[in-house]
mmCIF file of all heavy atoms in Angstrom:
data_model
loop_
_atom_site.group_PDB
_atom_site.id
_atom_site.type_symbol
_atom_site.label_atom_id
_atom_site.label_comp_id
_atom_site.label_asym_id
_atom_site.label_seq_id
_atom_site.Cartn_x
_atom_site.Cartn_y
_atom_site.Cartn_z
ATOM 1 N N LEU A 20 153.108 114.408 122.948
ATOM 2 C CA LEU A 20 154.210 115.189 123.502
ATOM 3 C C LEU A 20 154.726 116.187 122.480
ATOM 4 O O LEU A 20 155.101 115.812 121.363
ATOM 5 C CB LEU A 20 155.373 114.274 123.919
ATOM 6 C CG LEU A 20 155.081 113.186 124.947
ATOM 7 C CD1 LEU A 20 156.356 112.401 125.247
ATOM 8 C CD2 LEU A 20 154.508 113.778 126.223
ATOM 9 N N ILE A 21 154.726 117.460 122.852
ATOM 10 C CA ILE A 21 155.357 118.457 121.996
ATOM 11 C C ILE A 21 156.864 118.393 122.209
ATOM 12 O O ILE A 21 157.349 117.774 123.168
ATOM 13 C CB ILE A 21 154.827 119.878 122.289
ATOM 14 C CG1 ILE A 21 155.164 120.298 123.728
ATOM 15 C CG2 ILE A 21 153.337 119.947 122.022
ATOM 16 C CD1 ILE A 21 154.852 121.756 124.028
ATOM 17 N N GLU A 22 157.618 119.012 121.329
ATOM 18 C CA GLU A 22 159.071 119.023 121.465
ATOM 19 C C GLU A 22 159.488 120.172 122.385
ATOM 20 O O GLU A 22 159.758 121.280 121.935
ATOM 21 C CB GLU A 22 159.735 119.134 120.089
ATOM 22 C CG GLU A 22 159.525 117.882 119.240
ATOM 23 C CD GLU A 22 160.496 117.813 118.076
ATOM 24 O OE1 GLU A 22 161.582 118.422 118.142
ATOM 25 O OE2 GLU A 22 160.162 117.145 117.082
ATOM 26 N N ASN A 23 159.499 119.868 123.666
ATOM 27 C CA ASN A 23 159.920 120.828 124.690
ATOM 28 C C ASN A 23 160.961 120.110 125.533
ATOM 29 O O ASN A 23 160.644 119.161 126.250
ATOM 30 C CB ASN A 23 158.719 121.261 125.538
ATOM 31 C CG ASN A 23 159.029 122.342 126.547
ATOM 32 O OD1 ASN A 23 158.317 122.489 127.538
ATOM 33 N ND2 ASN A 23 160.075 123.123 126.337
ATOM 34 N N TYR A 24 162.224 120.519 125.414
ATOM 35 C CA TYR A 24 163.322 119.760 125.994
ATOM 36 C C TYR A 24 163.646 120.215 127.408
ATOM 37 O O TYR A 24 164.503 121.049 127.652
ATOM 38 C CB TYR A 24 164.525 119.808 125.051
ATOM 39 C CG TYR A 24 164.191 119.161 123.731
ATOM 40 C CD1 TYR A 24 163.837 119.929 122.624
ATOM 41 C CD2 TYR A 24 164.135 117.772 123.621
ATOM 42 C CE1 TYR A 24 163.469 119.322 121.424
ATOM 43 C CE2 TYR A 24 163.778 117.166 122.436
ATOM 44 C CZ TYR A 24 163.449 117.939 121.335
ATOM 45 O OH TYR A 24 163.073 117.337 120.156
ATOM 46 N N GLN A 45 153.497 109.712 122.442
ATOM 47 C CA GLN A 45 153.713 109.921 121.014
ATOM 48 C C GLN A 45 154.208 111.336 120.775
ATOM 49 O O GLN A 45 153.509 112.306 121.068
ATOM 50 C CB GLN A 45 152.426 109.677 120.225
ATOM 51 C CG GLN A 45 152.551 109.922 118.735
ATOM 52 C CD GLN A 45 153.547 108.984 118.085
ATOM 53 O OE1 GLN A 45 153.451 107.770 118.246
ATOM 54 N NE2 GLN A 45 154.511 109.538 117.362
ATOM 55 N N ARG A 46 155.412 111.460 120.263
ATOM 56 C CA ARG A 46 155.968 112.765 119.936
ATOM 57 C C ARG A 46 155.238 113.375 118.742
ATOM 58 O O ARG A 46 154.941 112.682 117.771
ATOM 59 C CB ARG A 46 157.454 112.630 119.594
ATOM 60 C CG ARG A 46 158.147 113.934 119.231
ATOM 61 C CD ARG A 46 159.433 113.636 118.468
ATOM 62 N NE ARG A 46 160.343 112.827 119.255
ATOM 63 C CZ ARG A 46 161.452 113.291 119.835
ATOM 64 N NH1 ARG A 46 161.803 114.549 119.680
ATOM 65 N NH2 ARG A 46 162.233 112.484 120.524
ATOM 66 N N ILE A 47 154.930 114.677 118.836
ATOM 67 C CA ILE A 47 154.412 115.409 117.677
ATOM 68 C C ILE A 47 155.630 116.080 117.035
ATOM 69 O O ILE A 47 156.074 117.147 117.482
ATOM 70 C CB ILE A 47 153.376 116.483 118.061
ATOM 71 C CG1 ILE A 47 152.348 115.943 119.051
ATOM 72 C CG2 ILE A 47 152.681 117.002 116.805
ATOM 73 C CD1 ILE A 47 151.393 117.009 119.570
ATOM 74 N N ASP A 48 156.182 115.458 116.046
ATOM 75 C CA ASP A 48 157.424 115.941 115.438
ATOM 76 C C ASP A 48 157.298 117.373 114.938
ATOM 77 O O ASP A 48 156.367 117.704 114.190
ATOM 78 C CB ASP A 48 157.841 115.038 114.280
ATOM 79 C CG ASP A 48 158.294 113.666 114.745
ATOM 80 O OD1 ASP A 48 158.933 113.594 115.814
ATOM 81 O OD2 ASP A 48 158.007 112.670 114.059
ATOM 82 N N GLY A 49 158.233 118.207 115.353
ATOM 83 C CA GLY A 49 158.311 119.568 114.839
ATOM 84 C C GLY A 49 157.381 120.567 115.489
ATOM 85 O O GLY A 49 157.346 121.729 115.084
ATOM 86 N N VAL A 50 156.640 120.154 116.517
ATOM 87 C CA VAL A 50 155.713 121.069 117.187
ATOM 88 C C VAL A 50 156.281 121.425 118.564
ATOM 89 O O VAL A 50 156.526 120.534 119.383
ATOM 90 C CB VAL A 50 154.312 120.458 117.335
ATOM 91 C CG1 VAL A 50 153.393 121.419 118.094
ATOM 92 C CG2 VAL A 50 153.733 120.148 115.959
ATOM 93 N N THR A 51 156.481 122.707 118.807
ATOM 94 C CA THR A 51 157.076 123.167 120.051
ATOM 95 C C THR A 51 156.088 124.020 120.850
ATOM 96 O O THR A 51 155.020 124.382 120.358
ATOM 97 C CB THR A 51 158.333 124.018 119.778
ATOM 98 O OG1 THR A 51 157.923 125.293 119.225
ATOM 99 C CG2 THR A 51 159.274 123.323 118.798
ATOM 100 N N HIS A 52 156.476 124.351 122.070
ATOM 101 C CA HIS A 52 155.626 125.215 122.888
ATOM 102 C C HIS A 52 155.480 126.593 122.248
ATOM 103 O O HIS A 52 154.469 127.269 122.436
ATOM 104 C CB HIS A 52 156.189 125.334 124.314
ATOM 105 C CG HIS A 52 157.556 125.912 124.409
ATOM 106 N ND1 HIS A 52 158.687 125.227 123.991
ATOM 107 C CD2 HIS A 52 158.007 127.099 124.888
ATOM 108 C CE1 HIS A 52 159.762 125.978 124.215
ATOM 109 N NE2 HIS A 52 159.372 127.116 124.754
ATOM 110 N N ARG A 53 156.462 127.001 121.468
ATOM 111 C CA ARG A 53 156.380 128.314 120.804
ATOM 112 C C ARG A 53 155.253 128.338 119.778
ATOM 113 O O ARG A 53 154.554 129.340 119.631
ATOM 114 C CB ARG A 53 157.718 128.658 120.179
ATOM 115 C CG ARG A 53 158.817 128.876 121.234
ATOM 116 C CD ARG A 53 160.186 129.089 120.617
ATOM 117 N NE ARG A 53 161.198 129.273 121.660
ATOM 118 C CZ ARG A 53 161.799 128.281 122.305
ATOM 119 N NH1 ARG A 53 161.485 127.020 121.992
ATOM 120 N NH2 ARG A 53 162.678 128.514 123.249
ATOM 121 N N HIS A 54 155.079 127.243 119.047
ATOM 122 C CA HIS A 54 153.951 127.158 118.109
ATOM 123 C C HIS A 54 152.626 127.349 118.847
ATOM 124 O O HIS A 54 151.740 128.083 118.402
ATOM 125 C CB HIS A 54 153.928 125.791 117.410
ATOM 126 C CG HIS A 54 155.013 125.594 116.403
ATOM 127 N ND1 HIS A 54 156.070 124.747 116.614
ATOM 128 C CD2 HIS A 54 155.202 126.135 115.180
ATOM 129 C CE1 HIS A 54 156.871 124.770 115.563
ATOM 130 N NE2 HIS A 54 156.372 125.607 114.672
ATOM 131 N N LEU A 55 152.511 126.662 119.975
ATOM 132 C CA LEU A 55 151.241 126.683 120.701
ATOM 133 C C LEU A 55 151.023 127.996 121.427
ATOM 134 O O LEU A 55 149.891 128.501 121.490
ATOM 135 C CB LEU A 55 151.179 125.495 121.661
ATOM 136 C CG LEU A 55 151.284 124.124 120.978
ATOM 137 C CD1 LEU A 55 151.182 123.010 122.002
ATOM 138 C CD2 LEU A 55 150.214 123.954 119.899
ATOM 139 N N ASP A 59 149.541 128.848 116.706
ATOM 140 C CA ASP A 59 149.870 128.537 115.318
ATOM 141 C C ASP A 59 149.101 127.292 114.856
ATOM 142 O O ASP A 59 149.485 126.159 115.171
ATOM 143 C CB ASP A 59 151.382 128.308 115.205
ATOM 144 C CG ASP A 59 151.830 128.067 113.775
ATOM 145 O OD1 ASP A 59 150.967 127.944 112.882
ATOM 146 O OD2 ASP A 59 153.054 127.990 113.552
ATOM 147 N N SER A 61 148.934 126.122 111.961
ATOM 148 C CA SER A 61 149.545 125.435 110.826
ATOM 149 C C SER A 61 150.079 124.054 111.214
ATOM 150 O O SER A 61 150.376 123.239 110.333
ATOM 151 C CB SER A 61 150.692 126.278 110.251
ATOM 152 O OG SER A 61 151.808 126.303 111.122
ATOM 153 N N VAL A 62 150.189 123.764 112.513
ATOM 154 C CA VAL A 62 150.707 122.464 112.949
ATOM 155 C C VAL A 62 149.579 121.445 113.161
ATOM 156 O O VAL A 62 149.825 120.335 113.631
ATOM 157 C CB VAL A 62 151.539 122.609 114.250
ATOM 158 C CG1 VAL A 62 152.700 123.571 114.029
ATOM 159 C CG2 VAL A 62 150.667 123.102 115.408
ATOM 160 N N LYS A 63 148.379 121.817 112.789
ATOM 161 C CA LYS A 63 147.213 120.957 113.019
ATOM 162 C C LYS A 63 147.407 119.549 112.470
ATOM 163 O O LYS A 63 147.120 118.553 113.157
ATOM 164 C CB LYS A 63 145.972 121.596 112.401
ATOM 165 C CG LYS A 63 144.742 120.704 112.396
ATOM 166 C CD LYS A 63 143.584 121.364 111.656
ATOM 167 C CE LYS A 63 142.476 120.382 111.381
ATOM 168 N NZ LYS A 63 141.341 120.996 110.644
ATOM 169 N N GLU A 64 147.870 119.425 111.248
ATOM 170 C CA GLU A 64 148.007 118.110 110.637
ATOM 171 C C GLU A 64 149.005 117.238 111.385
ATOM 172 O O GLU A 64 148.829 116.021 111.469
ATOM 173 C CB GLU A 64 148.396 118.236 109.160
ATOM 174 C CG GLU A 64 147.284 118.801 108.291
ATOM 175 C CD GLU A 64 145.977 118.032 108.446
ATOM 176 O OE1 GLU A 64 146.020 116.781 108.460
ATOM 177 O OE2 GLU A 64 144.916 118.668 108.575
ATOM 178 N N LYS A 65 150.039 117.841 111.940
ATOM 179 C CA LYS A 65 151.016 117.076 112.721
ATOM 180 C C LYS A 65 150.371 116.540 113.997
ATOM 181 O O LYS A 65 150.638 115.410 114.417
ATOM 182 C CB LYS A 65 152.226 117.940 113.049
ATOM 183 C CG LYS A 65 153.052 118.320 111.831
ATOM 184 C CD LYS A 65 154.262 119.160 112.227
ATOM 185 C CE LYS A 65 155.100 119.487 111.002
ATOM 186 N NZ LYS A 65 156.296 120.290 111.342
ATOM 187 N N VAL A 66 149.533 117.353 114.616
ATOM 188 C CA VAL A 66 148.817 116.924 115.816
ATOM 189 C C VAL A 66 147.880 115.769 115.480
ATOM 190 O O VAL A 66 147.815 114.762 116.196
ATOM 191 C CB VAL A 66 148.029 118.097 116.435
ATOM 192 C CG1 VAL A 66 147.168 117.621 117.602
ATOM 193 C CG2 VAL A 66 148.970 119.200 116.894
ATOM 194 N N GLU A 68 148.095 113.651 112.914
ATOM 195 C CA GLU A 68 148.846 112.461 112.523
ATOM 196 C C GLU A 68 149.359 111.710 113.743
ATOM 197 O O GLU A 68 149.272 110.466 113.814
ATOM 198 C CB GLU A 68 150.017 112.855 111.613
ATOM 199 C CG GLU A 68 150.793 111.684 111.037
ATOM 200 C CD GLU A 68 149.932 110.764 110.182
ATOM 201 O OE1 GLU A 68 148.998 111.258 109.518
ATOM 202 O OE2 GLU A 68 150.207 109.545 110.179
ATOM 203 N N ALA A 69 149.881 112.430 114.722
ATOM 204 C CA ALA A 69 150.362 111.798 115.948
ATOM 205 C C ALA A 69 149.211 111.132 116.699
ATOM 206 O O ALA A 69 149.361 110.036 117.263
ATOM 207 C CB ALA A 69 151.052 112.830 116.840
ATOM 208 N N LYS A 72 148.279 107.812 115.174
ATOM 209 C CA LYS A 72 149.240 106.763 115.542
ATOM 210 C C LYS A 72 148.881 106.167 116.898
ATOM 211 O O LYS A 72 148.980 104.955 117.101
ATOM 212 C CB LYS A 72 150.655 107.334 115.565
ATOM 213 C CG LYS A 72 151.221 107.652 114.189
ATOM 214 C CD LYS A 72 152.627 108.227 114.294
ATOM 215 C CE LYS A 72 153.188 108.560 112.913
ATOM 216 N NZ LYS A 72 154.550 109.163 112.999
ATOM 217 N N LEU A 88 147.230 122.963 123.576
ATOM 218 C CA LEU A 88 146.706 122.049 122.557
ATOM 219 C C LEU A 88 145.189 122.149 122.470
ATOM 220 O O LEU A 88 144.572 121.583 121.563
ATOM 221 C CB LEU A 88 147.124 120.607 122.872
ATOM 222 C CG LEU A 88 148.569 120.233 122.526
ATOM 223 C CD1 LEU A 88 148.948 118.912 123.169
ATOM 224 C CD2 LEU A 88 148.778 120.173 121.016
ATOM 225 N N PHE A 91 143.092 122.545 119.265
ATOM 226 C CA PHE A 91 142.643 121.482 118.364
ATOM 227 C C PHE A 91 141.631 120.540 119.011
ATOM 228 O O PHE A 91 141.273 119.526 118.411
ATOM 229 C CB PHE A 91 143.864 120.689 117.874
ATOM 230 C CG PHE A 91 144.956 121.578 117.335
ATOM 231 C CD1 PHE A 91 146.117 121.794 118.066
ATOM 232 C CD2 PHE A 91 144.803 122.243 116.130
ATOM 233 C CE1 PHE A 91 147.115 122.630 117.594
ATOM 234 C CE2 PHE A 91 145.797 123.084 115.645
ATOM 235 C CZ PHE A 91 146.956 123.284 116.376
ATOM 236 N N GLU A 168 164.486 126.502 127.686
ATOM 237 C CA GLU A 168 165.043 125.145 127.562
ATOM 238 C C GLU A 168 166.553 125.109 127.833
ATOM 239 O O GLU A 168 167.345 124.675 127.002
ATOM 240 C CB GLU A 168 164.727 124.567 126.184
ATOM 241 C CG GLU A 168 163.234 124.470 125.903
ATOM 242 C CD GLU A 168 162.928 124.045 124.485
ATOM 243 O OE1 GLU A 168 163.350 124.765 123.544
ATOM 244 O OE2 GLU A 168 162.272 123.017 124.303
#
Side-chain angles (χ1 to χ4, degrees):
L20 302 181
I21 63 172
E22 292 197 24
N23 185 203
Y24 298 99
Q45 178 63 53
R46 180 199 301 254
I47 314 174
D48 291 323
V50 177
T51 72
H52 60 289
R53 294 174 181 83
H54 288 109
L55 300 181
D59 184 353
S61 71
V62 301
K63 171 185 167 181
E64 291 307 316
K65 293 181 178 181
V66 174
E68 185 60 33
K72 289 180 181 178
L88 282 167
F91 310 106
E168 300 174 300

